[in-house]
Amino acid sequence: DVGPYLAWREGYMFFKNVGLRQIMNRIARYYNVKMVLPEDISETETYSGYLNLNDGLEKVMQSIRESTNVNYQISENEIIIN
């Protein structure tokens, strides 16, 4: 099924057992922003689900925060994860 791989064209991101760094990098590419992640971000925790990227960057990041308990700051073309 190639549906999840092509879903970004419709504004959706599906992921299964994916680390936070990979999710954040995909979000950064989609919105054309720079993502600044801490060096010690967990590579062992994985997440599954989907995001509606049409909701906008702020709402997507709020969803990430609620699911992962990471904090973030958005400034112009940069997202800082802490």
Side-chain angles (χ1 to χ4, degrees):
D1 182 20
V2 296
Y5 299 102
L6 300 176
W8 65 270
R9 291 182 177 176
E10 301 296 323
Y12 294 93
M13 180 178 23
F14 291 88
F15 46 94
K16 184 175 182 181
N17 299 322
V18 176
L20 188 58
R21 183 176 303 278
Q22 185 177 352
I23 294 169
M24 292 303 186
N25 287 335
R26 289 172 61 187
I27 290 170
R29 275 195 309 271
Y30 185 85
Y31 289 107
N32 195 30
V33 296
K34 179 181 177 185
M35 189 72 65
V36 180
L37 299 164
E39 292 291 324
D40 63 347
I41 194 167
S42 173
E43 297 291 336
T44 57
E45 288 184 60
T46 60
Y47 302 91
S48 298
Y50 75 96
L51 294 167
N52 183 348
L53 302 172
N54 295 312
D55 286 342
L57 180 58
E58 182 68 40
K59 183 149 174 123
V60 167
M61 292 306 299
Q62 287 174 359
S63 295
I64 294 287
R65 182 182 62 211
E66 291 170 5
S67 300
T68 64
N69 291 323
V70 299
N71 290 313
Y72 66 92
Q73 178 182 352
I74 299 175
S75 62
E76 291 192 30
N77 293 327
E78 184 175 77
I79 302 170
I80 302 168
I81 304 297
N82 44 20

